[in-house]
Structure formats: C-alpha cells, structure tokens
Amino acid sequence: MRLRALLDTDALGLRLLGGEDELDRTVRGVMTTDLRDPSRYLSGGELVLTGLAWRRNASDTEPFVRLLVSAGVAAMAAGEAELGDIPDDLIAACARHRLPLFAVNESVAFATITEHVVRQVSGERAGDLAAVVDRHRRMMTSGPAGGGPDVVLDLLGSDLDLRAWVLSPTGRLIAGSKVSGPALPVDVCAKLAAEHLAAARTGRRGPHRLALGGSTYSLFPIRSSGRSPQGSRDVRETVLSDWLLAVEADAGDWPDERLDLLQGVTQLIAVERDRRDAARTVRRRLAQEVLELVQTGAAPAEIAARLRVAAPVLLPGLGAAPHWQVVVARVEWEGGDIEAGPVAQSLLEEILVDPLTTGPEPSDRIAVAHSGDEAIALVPLPAVSAEHDGSESGLHADVLLAAVRDPLSAGLDDDGRVTLGVSAAVHSAEGLRGALEEARHARRVAAARPGRVCAAGHQELASHVLLLPFVPDDVRRAFTARLLDPLRDYDRRHRAELIPTLEAFLECDGSWTRCATRLHLHVNTLRYRVGRIEQLTSRDLSRLEDKLDFFLALRMS
C-alpha cells in the first residue's frame, strides 16, 4: 500500500506534518517502538509508530531520525497522547532527511493503525474472514474496556469455531476465550510451551503442530514489534520471552487466507504485549534506582525513601510498608555475542508471575532491573506481623523452579542455562543490601548444580556454609538478621527478653531446669518463651542444627 492511502482513511486519525512529496512510498509493514535505537528490528519499508518516550530532549531527535532513514523506513507516525503537539525539532529533522511524518490523534490507538496496515499489506481475504478481522479491530481498539486478547480469542471461537489460548514461554495461561470451554490444564500448557520453545530453537517455521491427549494443537509465535528477529538477529535473544498462540486445530491443511488471518491475530495480540511492556518502564526505573542506591552504599534513609515511592506503585492501596524479597537471575549461552542482562530481565519478569494466575495484570506488580549479565527483581510482599504468623511467606525457590523448569529447558536446548537465587524477606532498607548479596550467593549455589534450569533459596545457605571464608559478609549479616531480628523486634515491643532467654538456654545446653534457675523463672514461663522463639523463627530448639544456627547467629551479631 502507498503512504497516500493512509491519509485517505479518516478512521486512522493521521495528520501530515511533512514529506508531501514522498507520499507515493510503499508501506511493507508496521512497527511500534519507543526504543532509542530500533534499527536492528527494521528491515525497510515500515511505518514506524512511536509515542516519543525515547525523546528526553531535543538532542535525541536527530540520531533517532537518522537511524530510521538508514534502515529505509517508509515514514514515521508520532502519537500526540504523551506530549500533545509534536515537537518542532522532530518536524525539522524529518524534513531535513525527507522522512514523511504523521501526527496520530490521541483518540486513535496504535492498534487501529497496525491492524489496518497489516490487513492491507496481507492482501484480500475471503469476505467472512475480513469481517472477523474488522470486528477484532473494533473490539481491540475501543479502549481499556475492549477486552484485549480475550476478545480476539472469543471471536475466533464464535466466528471460526477455533478454540485458542495465549500462553507465556513458561506455560502460564495469559488469555483464553470464553467459548473455548474449560481452561487448559497446567501440564498441557507447559507441554505446549515446551514444544513451541524447542521448535523455535531449531528454526522451524511456524505454525508448529503437536498431538497431545487426543487433540492436535497448532502453535503460532507472537512477536512484539520490538522483539521480532530480523535478518541475522539471534533467536536466543527473544525465545525465552515471546508469547505464543495455541489453537486446537491442525493448521497443516489450512488455506492461505486462514493462515493469514491467524498471523494477523498474533500481530493484534502483540500490540497488547507492547502495551504491557511499555507499562513496565516505570517499575523497571524504580528497581534500577533502588538497585543503584543499594550497590553504591547509599544511606538506609535514602533507600527507604525510594522504597516508599515504589511501594504504592507496586502494591496500590497497601496501608503499611511491605516487606521485600530479592530474586537474582542469570541466563548464560554458549557462544554468540548475546547481551544477557535484558534477556534475563524479560524472563524474570515472567517467572515471577504466579503460574496459576491468568492475564497480563499480575506482571504489573513486579519491578526488575538488570546489571551486567544478571537481572535483579525487587518483589514486594504485604507485611505480615511475625508476632502473629511464624510461618515463612513470600517466594520459594523450589516452587519457582517446579513451575518453569520443563518449558524453559526445552528453550535452552543444549547450549543455555538459567540460574535463580532467592533471598529471605526483609522489612527495612538496612536489610536490602544483605538480601541482594544473599540472593546472589544463592544463585551461585544453584549454578554449581547440574541441569539447564536451577534455583536455590536462602534456606539452603545453611550455617555450616557461612563458616566458609568465601561467603560475603553481607550474606553472613543477612543470615544473622533473619534469625534474630524477629526476636529483637518482639523484645522491643513487649520487653519479653527473648534474646537473653535464647542465650541462656543455649549456654545451659538446653537444660530446662538449669536455665530456669539461672534466669530466676518458673519452668513453665521458660517453656512459653522458648515456644515463642520457635514460633517467631520457624525453628525447633530441640534440633541440633537449629541450636547451632542460633549459636552462630548470636556469636556473629
């Protein structure tokens, strides 16, 4: 299609700002991006849609426009929703480089333009299929109430009798149509994701087909505009983060028109993926700021101030300051020049979503930064008083591992590894640095194990490990704080003297009579205090291992 045709379509809400002499250029595709350098994702002939989030000031404009022109794009369309009027420096730069520039009215969603271009470029389809796509467009672009991917899948079911689901690379069910019947079982989702990842690694062209439980599924990759492999781009950069569309049908004998329709549907769903990724920008920035403060040794008060900003963003409506956990992940590939940090970041953002929840929204409660080759997640937990609940809450390494190991192992094939480390929960800025080092050390413990996907938690950093000289001091301090801070807090609030009781109990070798005599207590009072210690720490003072841990924690405190 020609650029001129876009102006003739009133529903697209485009206004020409420059490049009238270039309107006969051919548009071969469309890409939505706010990357500062999207050139590696461009192959030429695209209409580039941008919300201008890449532009911090006027000096960013010239390099961005030059990159688009070098990549051979057909034109740029800039949204007015973020900044209002399109900046003059952008209009001038496009004019200098003869790049046609459109303004997109804030009332028009990029998805409307994307679907229109995709439909026109794909060619004519049968009348009934075109009607379905048009209905998809209206539903997807009618605003937040439009329903997102679920609406598209509902229409596939009602109009084409296709049961379909959107899955994450870890097998989490993101969307499913109401007419698809019962949700796919968790084990089926995991197997479909594993097949999709394995097929992607071999370079086989989709859709991939899999017979499972008496049904045949066809798997279509969903690649967001900024993630699609172009040219020589290494598939390993995106294979662990791309969504997939699973359709309960054998697409092997489908006509080209129906295959084109499904490819168009994946592009519509990719728009929703782009929206979710754009929403993560603020949370990623918060995590990066906190991480930099922690790693540079900033004062706890400064870190606490940033945490107070992060808490309402991640847990809106929360009355009290939450506890925090830190999760560290690393993705390692054999050979190839792959920037591992962003890959681990995208993957960790998916891993930390409860696999039993559906929809994209749970991911809006996760803040992940990357530093070097590792990704670091700041996970908020609603504060639960240890006084009333001695059980350990939050993320557990073994639960995370069980949910993602099989699908990810297929995507890693025989040349990749994912390792995860999970810290204990901390309830103050002072404990965050220790939690970070603890998570990093746990990840190194996981890396020493066999397997493509490995994880370790703070529970596995046993006291005897802490005696080894290579363990960082912050890990030792985190271990001590985890055991003793609940007791110190309780003592501070209730003047209960649990710490002195614990010290005396250990010095008396666990003898109730000698300890009670030493503390001038009745034995029943001593038993109550020891019971409270065990409740607050989830430890058992009749076990030698737990006695040893308390002994070392007291000596190192």
Side-chain angles (χ1 to χ4, degrees):
M1 66 178 298
R2 304 286 182 181
L3 284 174
R4 193 179 304 280
L6 295 174
L7 287 174
D8 296 334
T9 307
D10 293 337
L12 299 184
L14 295 177
R15 187 173 78 257
L16 184 65
L17 299 180
E20 185 174 1
D21 295 337
E22 307 294 331
L23 291 181
D24 286 328
R25 290 185 182 184
T26 299
V27 180
R28 300 188 180 90
V30 62
M31 174 187 179
T32 301
T33 185
D34 276 311
L35 296 173
R36 295 172 67 85
D37 180 8
S39 59
R40 61 176 175 171
Y41 308 122
L42 298 167
S43 57
E46 293 92 351
L47 171 66
V48 173
L49 305 175
T50 177
L52 302 180
W54 50 266
R55 183 186 178 276
R56 298 176 182 174
N57 51 57
S59 64
D60 294 331
T61 300
E62 178 70 16
F64 184 83
V65 172
R66 193 183 304 118
L67 287 168
L68 297 190
V69 172
S70 298
V73 305
M76 184 199 310
E80 295 178 324
E82 184 70 21
L83 301 179
D85 293 334
I86 306 303
D88 291 339
D89 53 272
L90 180 59
I91 297 174
C94 289
R96 282 195 301 273
H97 292 278
R98 302 180 63 85
L99 179 67
L101 175 64
F102 300 93
V104 182
N105 190 280
E106 64 180 80
S107 65
V108 178
F110 282 176
T112 302
I113 302 171
T114 298
E115 197 284 329
H116 178 82
V117 173
V118 169
R119 187 150 51 94
Q120 294 299 318
V121 170
S122 298
E124 294 297 327
R125 298 190 178 106
D128 59 333
L129 298 183
V132 172
V133 172
D134 189 58
R135 287 179 62 192
H136 289 174
R137 180 192 60 77
R138 295 198 305 273
M139 298 296 284
M140 287 282 284
T141 61
S142 58
D150 300 275
V151 172
V152 180
L153 302 185
D154 284 343
L155 291 173
L156 283 179
S158 61
D159 289 40
L160 299 180
D161 197 27
L162 290 176
R163 286 162 40 91
W165 303 265
V166 177
L167 304 177
S168 78
T170 62
R172 183 173 65 89
L173 182 63
I174 293 170
S177 69
K178 296 181 179 63
V179 296
S180 292
L184 282 177
V186 173
D187 62 328
V188 173
C189 290
K191 290 176 181 176
L192 293 176
E195 172 64 21
H196 164 71
L197 292 175
R201 286 303 311 278
T202 63
R204 300 202 312 257
R205 189 174 181 178
H208 315 302
R209 289 172 288 161
L210 175 66
L212 193 63
S215 299
T216 298
Y217 298 89
S218 297
L219 309 178
F220 296 80
I222 299 172
R223 299 191 178 99
S224 299
S225 313
R227 311 167 92 91
S228 300
Q230 300 288 346
S232 61
R233 190 177 181 214
D234 197 321
V235 70
R236 292 177 295 182
E237 294 183 21
T238 59
V239 69
L240 299 182
S241 56
D242 283 336
W243 289 355
L244 68 137
L245 175 66
V247 181
E248 190 177 14
D250 188 343
D253 56 357
W254 280 5
D256 290 342
E257 292 85 355
R258 180 161 290 200
L259 287 172
D260 284 347
L261 173 66
L262 267 294
Q263 295 293 350
V265 168
T266 64
Q267 293 195 34
L268 289 175
I269 297 173
V271 172
E272 292 299 304
R273 175 65 185 270
D274 289 340
R275 289 174 180 170
R276 187 187 76 163
D277 286 349
R280 283 177 169 170
T281 303
V282 172
R283 291 181 292 280
R284 285 178 170 180
R285 185 179 301 122
L286 284 172
Q288 196 70 47
E289 290 175 356
V290 173
L291 175 63
E292 289 175 359
L293 290 174
V294 170
Q295 294 193 130
T296 56
E302 188 176 358
I303 299 174
R306 296 308 302 161
L307 290 178
R308 285 193 293 272
V309 172
V313 174
L314 298 173
L315 290 177
L318 189 68
H323 292 180
W324 301 93
Q325 270 184 291
V326 176
V327 181
V328 173
R330 177 169 292 194
V331 178
E332 298 171 288
W333 300 102
E334 298 175 8
D337 184 15
I338 300 173
E339 190 178 358
V343 177
Q345 182 181 44
S346 296
L347 177 60
L348 191 52
E349 285 170 333
E350 176 56 44
I351 287 177
L352 293 181
V353 180
D354 184 344
L356 298 182
T357 63
T358 60
E361 285 306 308
S363 64
D364 292 345
R365 302 293 176 259
I366 298 165
V368 185
H370 69 82
S371 176
D373 290 338
E374 67 181 9
I376 301 165
L378 190 64
V379 182
L381 304 171
V384 178
S385 173
E387 177 181 352
H388 301 293
D389 185 3
S391 62
E392 188 174 338
S393 60
L395 299 170
H396 294 265
D398 54 345
V399 176
L400 291 178
L401 182 62
V404 303
R405 177 170 47 205
D406 291 344
L408 291 184
S409 295
L412 294 165
D413 199 15
D414 60 354
D415 62 346
R417 289 199 79 199
V418 171
T419 50
L420 302 166
V422 182
S423 80
V426 296
H427 55 83
S428 66
E430 290 87 345
L432 206 54
R433 180 174 176 80
L436 173 59
E437 291 302 328
E438 188 174 59
R440 281 174 166 162
H441 190 64
R443 192 208 64 79
R444 289 193 291 269
V445 170
R449 296 171 177 168
R452 290 292 167 190
V453 185
C454 299
H458 64 91
Q459 304 93 335
E460 300 176 68
L461 304 183
S463 56
H464 66 277
V465 175
L466 298 174
L467 298 175
L468 300 177
F470 65 81
V471 178
D473 288 340
D474 284 319
V475 177
R476 297 171 190 260
R477 284 192 289 270
F479 171 80
T480 300
R482 184 168 67 250
L483 273 181
L484 301 185
D485 278 0
L487 306 183
R488 290 168 177 152
D489 292 343
Y490 190 90
D491 282 349
R492 186 165 50 251
R493 291 193 303 270
H494 302 282
R495 299 180 180 178
E497 297 188 346
L498 295 185
I499 292 289
T501 300
L502 175 61
E503 291 175 329
F505 188 74
L506 294 176
E507 290 174 2
C508 292
D509 297 326
S511 170
W512 298 99
T513 303
R514 282 195 291 137
C515 185
T517 300
R518 178 171 177 172
L519 295 175
H520 305 291
L521 297 174
H522 191 281
V523 171
N524 288 343
T525 302
L526 175 62
R527 290 187 184 276
Y528 172 81
R529 288 188 183 179
V530 170
R532 177 63 71 182
I533 291 170
E534 293 176 333
Q535 180 187 16
L536 293 173
T537 60
S538 300
R539 297 298 187 109
D540 183 354
L541 277 166
S542 67
R543 296 179 69 248
L544 176 61
E545 293 89 342
D546 288 341
K547 288 179 181 177
L548 177 60
D549 282 355
F550 278 122
F551 178 81
L552 290 172
L554 288 167
R555 290 297 180 270
M556 290 190 294
S557 63

